[in-house]
Amino acid sequence: MTTATHSLVETGENPFALSHLDTLEAESVHIFREVAGEFERPVILFSGGKDSIVMLHLALKAFRPAAVPFALLHVDTGHNFPEVIAYRDRVVAEHGLRLHVASVQDFIDDGRLRERPDGTRNPLQTVPLLDAIESNRFDAVFGGGRRDEEKARAKERVFSLRDEFGAWDPRRQRPELWSLYNGRHAPGEHVRVFPLSNWTELDVWQYIEREGIELPEIYYAHERDVFRRNGMWLTAGDWGGPKEHETVERRLIRYRTVGDMSCTGAVDSDAATIAEVITEIAASRLTERGATRADDKLSEAAMEDRKREGYF
Amino acid sequence: MSTTQEATATSLLRFATAGSVDDGKSTLVGRLLHDSKSVLADQLEAVEHASRNRGQEAPDLALLTDGLRAEREQGITIDVAYRYFATARRRFILADTPGHVQYTRNMVTGASTAELAVVLVDARNGVVEQTRRHAAVAALLRVPHVVLAVNKMDLVDYAEPVFASIAAEFTSYAASLGVKDVVAVPISALAGDNVVEPSAHMDWYGGPTLLEHLETVPVGSDPSEEPARFPVQYVIRPQTEEHHDYRGYAGQLASGVLRVGDTVTVLPSGHTTTVAGIDALGEETDIAWAPQSVTVRLADDIDVSRGDLIAAGPAPAPTKDVEATVCHLNERPLLPGAKVLLKHTTRTVRALVKEISYKIDITSAAGDQGLEQRSGAQGLQVNDIGHVVLRTAEPLALDAYTDNRHTGSFLLIDPADGTTLTAGMAGEAFETVRIGDAPDEEDWV
């Protein structure tokens, strides 16, 4: 199935019309190739979540028949879903990729980071991430962030300059016009690149369906031991849950996002296939983050504040 | 399965909104998102919560779009934001651009990728200076479709003559700037008239609602009518046993159609060869068109690298002398004599600002003669639009922006710190009339 025949079949009268997925794919591939052409040491942030999996899929397509000219970087919170780590290692082996791992646990063990009282490790990722960027001298870091996720992200550029502290300053962003991306940066600075900026959650799922992309099983309905905390179903595990007053239940659930187990909530669902997931999302009255992320509920500007510190 | 397949085949419309501070743009955007059911329960709940914290009784839909601390604190929008929504027929990317006078650059940014611009006016005020500014920016950036949304019709008793006179004045102004397609819609964003649902108050209006028009306006141009332009982004050489001799030029078609067997010219070198093969993200194909990202193989082993342009049809003559209409984006002024970097498609070259020929007053009443131009001797300040002459260190294959928005556009970048300074559009943008102390033409040619 070539892009050409795919579009011709699907889009009616104008033989040159492109579907929205074809348009988004062409734009994202353009972004990957711009980075390959302009930077010395790019890296793809890879969490094993659907957005980073789609990013990797696009990168593979962008450079065929050559290999992806980027390594992967996984920021490991130490509270990962085992299915996701297994998926990560399988993908790395299958495509002959290089994988860097920045470990939150290492930073806690040697005292550079301290565990938070609430046990959430998501905000702690920033320090190992910036350390990995600095020590590997990465100059472009691909992230799977989408502007539809959150209103601070709606203001994010495709190429987002970060200073030597990794910080984002929304008032000092470069205007971005046409498809002319400015990747110039001083030594020590780096650029975060978001090839999925213009995709929505539904686009990502429709693309996964069209391309037949395999995902970690936790994205599909399965029975799991979970308990209720802050209005979310969290997976019970060694990471620190449940506490004494919290009770474990076995429920049919799935995950809409993949992140740190301590703050990524599951949703009740019987959607076991991609098509069923798409139907479920299309009917959902909750956003992806609203349904599943505890850390964004901390304050009205939680995401903006974390991004200022260097988070994605 | 069938529903998801239908959704996959929908088209994508990028559009921009522009409106003065109190024209109700945030309410309109909120209304579009809300009535197209693109605002979900938790977002609405957050807005209700935040509105209550501010002592407001009704949820303030503007809070849906003002995402940054400073914006919420000051109650203004300080930067372009991108919003996403969908209907059964189409997917939309909305560049939500602030309307303040001092943010012309933001509308330029939003309009650069837009195929349609919604210009909002307050029915009580009609066409004002800001309206002319927005129409001029849409014309300057060659946005193919413009919608005039005459808002707050509820405050003028939904009176047809009010709407008709504003629509006539705007359409004539836009036409004088070269805007070909203007559709005017009378709306009330607050009450919801003609935004998503047809209004019960305006029987006299027979046109589409705003959303209906957004859903049906044709998107994209016909690639078969344009010469092919393929800026080379990256050379793909796998150097594996299986693909030992593979050498492909990766890029995104900026315009036109490429077929295997086509004769093409590589610019700026001017070498001519034929297309030996096209790979569409790993699959061989015999045809590709804008805006697809593909990889092109050429019949002859000639020197081609990032920054080159593979062109078919009438090709632009590479030049080191660039004349362009520009919008200055940065607080630091752009002065004659400045040494800058110029980024055009995938090529970045050094450039000298030889002359700032004149500034353009994009709010002057144009009449038949065009906009007013003034001396540019003092340089361009942030948000200024003007005409410049540049000399580049290497030749560029530029099309006129009026012919091609991709191969006619460029950025000027500060070589010292990488700041994006200026947005450039090759060639003349408007008919302009020189007034006052503009320099003689001989001084800068």
Side-chain angles (χ1 to χ4, degrees):
Chain A
M1 182 181 70
T2 67
T3 309
T5 53
H6 182 85
S7 312
L8 282 169
V9 170
E10 280 199 350
T11 47
E13 326 88 56
N14 178 359
F16 297 113
L18 291 183
S19 73
H20 79 276
L21 288 181
D22 286 331
T23 310
L24 292 172
E25 180 186 60
E27 177 183 87
S28 299
V29 164
H30 172 84
I31 292 161
F32 276 109
R33 289 165 167 180
E34 279 300 282
V35 170
E38 296 231 316
F39 290 83
E40 295 290 322
R41 296 175 65 83
V43 70
I44 299 177
L45 264 200
F46 189 82
S47 66
K50 65 182 186 311
D51 299 315
S52 56
I53 289 169
V54 166
M55 270 208 299
L56 178 60
H57 182 85
L58 288 162
L60 287 162
K61 289 185 88 169
F63 300 100
R64 269 179 202 158
V68 175
F70 315 121
L72 300 186
L73 170 61
H74 180 219
V75 182
D76 181 346
T77 65
H79 293 160
N80 295 293
F81 293 94
E83 298 94 326
V84 175
I85 296 294
Y87 181 96
R88 176 196 79 185
D89 294 340
R90 212 160 57 234
V91 169
V92 165
E94 186 186 335
H95 299 292
L97 299 161
R98 276 176 303 131
L99 173 72
H100 300 267
V101 178
S103 159
V104 171
Q105 189 64 54
D106 288 352
F107 278 68
I108 292 172
D109 290 347
D110 65 20
R112 284 179 288 172
L113 276 178
R114 192 177 299 171
E115 196 89 76
R116 293 160 51 100
D118 62 6
T120 294
R121 285 187 170 181
N122 214 34
L124 300 184
Q125 293 182 80
T126 301
V127 173
L129 167 66
L130 294 179
D131 179 76
I133 291 171
E134 193 181 329
S135 58
N136 291 287
R137 291 178 289 113
F138 294 129
D139 53 0
V141 183
F142 288 104
R146 307 188 318 263
R147 290 188 188 127
D148 82 317
E149 282 178 89
E150 210 273 339
K151 57 192 172 182
R153 281 203 167 145
K155 305 250 161 181
E156 180 66 89
R157 299 293 183 264
V158 175
F159 274 39
S160 179
L161 183 68
R162 303 300 170 105
D163 66 15
E164 62 268 50
F165 302 103
W168 181 67
D169 182 350
R171 301 199 88 143
R172 286 190 56 242
Q173 297 197 85
R174 291 173 179 166
E176 213 155 65
L177 297 101
W178 299 290
S179 50
L180 292 171
Y181 302 110
N182 176 0
R184 302 204 55 103
H185 59 283
E189 296 177 339
H190 70 277
V191 175
R192 301 277 171 95
V193 181
F194 300 99
L196 303 184
S197 284
N198 286 325
W199 297 54
T200 64
E201 182 187 20
L202 200 55
D203 297 330
V204 166
W205 274 104
Q206 287 175 346
Y207 189 70
I208 287 165
E209 179 182 51
R210 185 182 99 173
E211 301 285 305
I213 299 169
E214 188 207 336
L215 295 183
E217 302 94 84
I218 65 168
Y219 278 109
Y220 302 106
H222 57 291
E223 287 206 339
R224 200 175 190 95
D225 288 332
V226 291
F227 65 93
R228 200 87 178 150
R229 182 182 290 175
N230 298 329
M232 293 190 311
W233 293 114
L234 300 182
T235 292
D238 297 336
W239 59 267
K243 291 181 181 149
E244 269 176 34
H245 61 280
E246 294 165 329
T247 31
V248 171
E249 288 178 44
R250 191 146 188 94
R251 296 183 76 90
L252 186 61
I253 55 99
R254 67 172 204 91
Y255 283 85
R256 275 173 84 172
T257 64
V258 159
D260 186 81
M261 279 169 110
S262 64
C263 63
T264 306
V267 292
D268 288 314
S269 170
D270 56 6
T273 65
I274 297 177
E276 285 165 6
V277 168
I278 289 174
T279 306
E280 182 184 286
I281 293 168
S284 172
R285 298 301 303 144
L286 289 178
T287 62
E288 182 178 327
R289 293 205 153 254
T292 63
R293 287 297 175 95
D295 44 334
D296 291 337
K297 296 182 176 168
L298 297 176
S299 85
E300 207 180 322
M303 174 66 85
E304 179 183 347
D305 292 345
R306 273 182 293 139
K307 282 167 70 70
R308 282 175 177 277
E309 291 163 15
Y311 187 83
F312 263 83
Chain B
M1 275 306 273
S2 67
T3 52
T4 65
Q5 286 301 324
E6 279 162 28
T8 303
T10 57
S11 56
L12 182 64
L13 175 72
R14 291 170 204 254
F15 73 107
T17 54
S20 309
V21 182
D22 296 316
D23 287 346
K25 188 174 60 64
S26 290
T27 313
L28 174 64
V29 172
R31 174 66 62 189
L32 270 176
L33 297 175
H34 183 266
D35 288 8
S36 66
K37 305 197 168 41
S38 303
V39 179
L40 300 182
D42 56 315
Q43 291 171 310
L44 204 56
E45 196 181 295
V47 165
E48 281 163 1
H49 181 75
S51 302
R52 271 198 307 278
N53 280 351
R54 285 172 179 70
Q56 294 163 311
E57 275 177 25
D60 180 357
L61 286 182
L63 292 173
L64 279 172
T65 57
D66 290 344
L68 301 172
R69 270 187 192 282
E71 293 175 319
R72 286 191 299 272
E73 284 159 13
Q74 299 172 37
I76 57 159
T77 315
I78 59 170
D79 205 346
V80 187
Y82 295 87
R83 317 278 165 206
Y84 303 83
F85 65 100
T87 65
R89 296 155 102 171
R90 192 165 267 180
R91 282 263 292 102
F92 300 95
I93 299 178
L94 161 57
D96 184 9
T97 70
H100 298 250
V101 177
Q102 65 269 38
Y103 294 125
T104 296
R105 63 173 173 191
N106 285 346
M107 189 187 163
V108 169
T109 302
S112 73
T113 53
E115 289 191 69
L116 180 146
V118 178
V119 175
L120 204 62
V121 301
D122 184 327
R124 296 168 303 173
N125 304 330
V127 173
V128 296
E129 183 181 310
Q130 269 298 77
T131 318
R132 285 196 291 271
R133 190 186 305 273
H134 295 143
V137 170
L140 175 69
L141 273 292
R142 312 300 289 190
V143 178
H145 309 280
V146 172
V147 175
L148 174 73
V150 181
N151 191 25
K152 308 197 183 180
M153 286 301 293
D154 52 319
L155 300 183
V156 295
D157 297 326
Y158 297 104
E160 179 176 20
V162 175
F163 169 74
S165 115
I166 295 170
E169 184 183 352
F170 182 86
T171 305
S172 128
Y173 184 73
S176 77
L177 297 168
V179 178
K180 291 189 179 68
D181 178 39
V182 179
V183 169
V185 186
I187 66 166
S188 166
L190 195 66
D193 293 286
N194 287 337
V195 178
V196 173
E197 299 296 330
S199 170
H201 301 105
M202 291 179 273
D203 294 342
W204 46 265
Y205 175 71
T209 65
L210 178 61
L211 183 66
E212 211 177 315
H213 181 60
L214 295 174
E215 282 184 312
T216 51
V217 72
V219 295
S221 48
D222 181 353
S224 63
E225 290 183 351
E226 302 163 341
R229 298 285 185 265
F230 186 75
V232 175
Q233 281 190 285
Y234 190 75
V235 182
I236 293 182
R237 286 196 303 138
Q239 293 175 302
T240 54
E241 225 160 272
E242 194 189 344
H243 301 282
H244 194 73
D245 297 319
Y246 187 99
R247 187 181 175 86
Y249 304 104
Q252 184 172 18
L253 268 148
S255 64
V257 179
L258 271 186
R259 290 181 175 84
V260 173
D262 280 356
T263 299
V264 291
T265 306
V266 179
L267 298 170
S269 72
H271 289 297
T272 297
T273 180
T274 54
V275 174
I278 301 172
D279 298 315
L281 307 182
E283 306 281 342
E284 267 200 72
T285 179
D286 51 13
I287 183 170
W289 61 88
Q292 290 182 326
S293 280
V294 297
T295 304
V296 171
R297 288 173 280 122
L298 299 178
D300 298 299
D301 198 9
I302 51 180
D303 178 23
V304 182
S305 54
R306 176 173 168 82
D308 288 346
L309 182 75
I310 295 174
T319 178
K320 290 181 174 181
D321 294 298
V322 178
E323 288 191 36
T325 306
V326 301
C327 175
H328 190 56
L329 308 167
N330 197 262
E331 309 298 334
R332 276 174 256 162
L334 186 73
L335 300 171
K339 287 182 175 155
V340 294
L341 295 170
L342 187 157
K343 179 159 187 173
H344 169 243
T345 66
T346 55
R347 173 177 287 252
T348 304
V349 299
R350 285 177 296 122
L352 169 72
V353 181
K354 279 180 66 184
E355 281 283 350
I356 298 187
S357 322
Y358 52 85
K359 293 188 198 185
I360 299 171
D361 179 358
I362 59 168
T363 60
S364 62
D368 294 336
Q369 293 170 307
L371 297 175
E372 291 174 0
Q373 53 169 267
R374 297 168 195 280
S375 165
Q378 298 308 307
L380 296 178
Q381 310 298 318
V382 62
N383 294 309
D384 276 353
I385 287 169
H387 191 80
V388 303
V389 181
L390 305 158
R391 173 81 178 174
T392 59
E394 297 165 46
L396 295 176
L398 280 157
D399 283 300
Y401 186 77
T402 50
D403 295 334
N404 194 313
R405 291 172 87 188
H406 295 278
T407 52
S409 55
F410 60 83
L411 301 178
L412 299 184
I413 294 168
D414 187 332
D417 63 2
T419 302
T420 299
L421 298 172
T422 308
M425 290 143 277
E428 295 279 352
F430 299 112
E431 290 294 307
T432 54
V433 181
R434 187 161 303 171
I435 60 148
D437 56 347
D440 288 343
E441 208 161 305
E442 289 71 31
D443 289 350
W444 50 268
V445 164

